[in-house]
């Protein structure tokens, strides 16, 4: 595990041979949901020895329809994110969408995440880098793993070497995605840990309804293949009841299914060592 990740997880007791986990609800909906998910996943990860980062977006800017839920308010959501991290002794990650958001979000989160469609935005990458936080860049649906070296270089040139790259599938026609697992070693060749986004890679975007669809029943398939392919980390959006979630409910794993999946992934990891 790279030094910056060891520092990130220094408050946790975990098996250093395990993958790390970024998990939580798609967007911050309420204090109750944030605390339930962060607390539940934290306990599961302690039991399994998995280093854990709580993930939730304080605002969703990349919505298909203008009528989609975007958040409860920036400062309120960011404070709930920070509260969850403090309450359970875990680091946190949230998305930013524009360069002027970087400093604001950095005051509350440990990792700033760059959405896939924005991974080429130079001013956004540089602003994120200059906060000194760890930067997780999702690979664009239109890019190869090799091409992500330019995103890494932009962040490094801005004085920040704390970079994660996340695979989340490539566009396949207008309304589907496919995962090319070659992107995991290709992106690791840039000197960064690589995360597999097991939920967004199963999206079915651009639906005529304006609401993104998905195939959450295949989250386990994507996750197991990613661990077998050598992924350093796993990204899973999870919710107590995805059917009523305010964002990306069609992609999220029900919270009560997470522990069983993580147990399987730990066993696969152990078999590879």
């Amino acid at each position: 595990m790279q030094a910056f990740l060891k520092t990130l997880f220094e408050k946790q007791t975990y098996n250093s041979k395990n993958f790390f986990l970024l998990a939580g609800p798609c967007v911050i909906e309420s204090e109750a949901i944030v605390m339930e998910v962060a607390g539940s996943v934290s306990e599961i990860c302690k039991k399994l020895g998995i280093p854990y980062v709580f993930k939730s977006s304080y605002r969703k800017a990349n919505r298909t329809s203008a009528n989609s839920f975007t958040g409860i308010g920036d400062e309120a959501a960011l404070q709930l994110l920070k509260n969850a991290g403090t309450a359970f002794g875990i680091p946190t990650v949230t998305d930013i969408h524009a360069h002027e958001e970087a400093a604001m979000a950095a005051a509350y989160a440990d990792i700033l995440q760059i959405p896939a469609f924005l991974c080429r935005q130079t001013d956004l990458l540089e602003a994120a880098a200059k906060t000194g936080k760890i930067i997780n860049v999702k690979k664009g649906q239109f890019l190869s793993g090799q091409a992500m070296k330019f995103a890494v270089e932009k962040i490094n040139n801005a004085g920040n070497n704390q970079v994660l790259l996340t695979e989340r599938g490539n566009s396949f026609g207008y309304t589907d995605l496919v995962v090319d697992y070659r992107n995991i070693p290709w992106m690791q060749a840039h000197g960064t840990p690589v995360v597999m986004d097991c939920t967004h890679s199963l999206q079915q975007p651009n639906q005529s309804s304006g609401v993104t669809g998905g195939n959450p029943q295949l989250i386990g398939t994507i996750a197991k293949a990613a661990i077998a392919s050598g992924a350093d980390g796993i990204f899973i959006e999870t919710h107590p009841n995805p059917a009523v979630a305010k964002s990306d409910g069609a992609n999220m794993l029900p919270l009560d299914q997470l522990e069983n999946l993580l147990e399987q992934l730990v066993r696969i990891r152990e078999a590879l060592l």
Side-chain angles (χ1 to χ4, degrees):
M1 185 180 290
Q2 294 192 0
F4 71 86
L5 288 177
K6 290 180 181 179
T7 300
L8 180 72
F9 297 124
E10 64 184 359
K11 294 181 180 179
Q12 300 184 45
T13 300
Y14 59 90
N15 181 346
S16 61
K17 295 181 180 180
N18 265 338
F19 55 90
F20 58 91
L21 175 69
L22 284 66
C26 176
V27 65
I28 291 176
E29 303 176 12
S30 67
E31 181 177 15
I33 295 294
V34 166
M35 291 302 181
E36 178 180 358
V37 176
S40 296
V41 181
S42 180
E43 285 303 311
I44 293 169
C45 288
K46 285 179 183 177
K47 184 189 305 183
L48 298 176
I50 299 170
Y52 172 48
V53 181
F54 176 71
K55 182 272 163 187
S56 197
S57 299
Y58 74 90
R59 173 158 43 100
K60 297 299 290 185
N62 48 336
R63 302 290 81 193
T64 300
S65 170
N67 296 321
S68 296
F69 177 79
T70 58
I72 61 172
D74 293 353
E75 290 189 11
L78 284 166
Q79 188 61 56
L80 287 179
L81 182 79
K82 185 175 182 178
N83 291 350
T86 300
F88 301 106
I90 51 178
T92 59
V93 57
T94 195
D95 302 270
I96 59 172
H97 310 89
H99 68 275
E100 59 267 23
E101 296 178 32
M104 175 182 68
Y108 297 87
D110 300 285
I111 302 176
L112 301 182
Q113 183 166 281
I114 309 300
F117 281 127
L118 300 177
C119 69
R120 297 175 67 200
Q121 296 298 107
T122 302
D123 59 348
L124 176 58
L125 293 172
E126 290 178 345
K130 290 174 182 177
T131 67
K133 297 291 185 174
I134 297 170
I135 312 302
N136 181 32
V137 187
K138 289 195 172 185
K139 181 183 70 63
Q141 300 92 324
F142 43 85
L143 290 176
S144 68
Q146 295 101 319
M148 288 299 290
K149 70 177 182 179
F150 300 109
V152 176
E153 287 175 356
K154 289 175 182 179
I155 295 170
N156 292 167
N157 291 340
N160 190 329
N161 294 313
Q162 302 178 111
V163 185
L164 304 173
L165 294 178
T166 293
E167 166 62 27
R168 51 97 72 235
N170 282 82
S171 296
F172 186 70
Y174 292 113
T175 59
D176 208 356
L177 296 163
V178 294
V179 176
D180 181 350
Y181 286 93
R182 295 177 299 176
N183 283 319
I184 292 174
W186 281 341
M187 291 196 290
Q188 287 170 331
H190 305 320
T192 67
V194 172
V195 179
M196 180 72 228
D197 183 340
C198 304
T199 43
H200 291 97
S201 60
L202 290 165
Q203 281 185 330
Q204 293 181 312
N206 306 317
Q207 301 293 316
S208 58
S209 65
V211 178
T212 298
N215 289 291
Q217 72 277 10
L218 295 175
I219 289 171
T221 301
I222 296 292
K224 293 170 191 175
I227 294 298
S229 300
D232 301 285
I234 294 293
F235 178 110
I236 297 176
E237 288 190 338
T238 184
H239 192 281
N241 185 0
V244 300
K246 295 185 177 181
S247 178
D248 279 2
N251 303 299
M252 285 193 280
L253 184 74
L255 183 58
D256 61 7
Q257 296 179 20
L258 181 63
E259 183 170 2
N260 180 61
L261 174 57
L262 292 176
E263 288 174 345
Q264 295 178 58
L265 299 183
V266 167
R267 291 198 297 270
I268 293 171
R269 180 79 166 198
E270 290 173 346
L272 294 172
L273 298 176

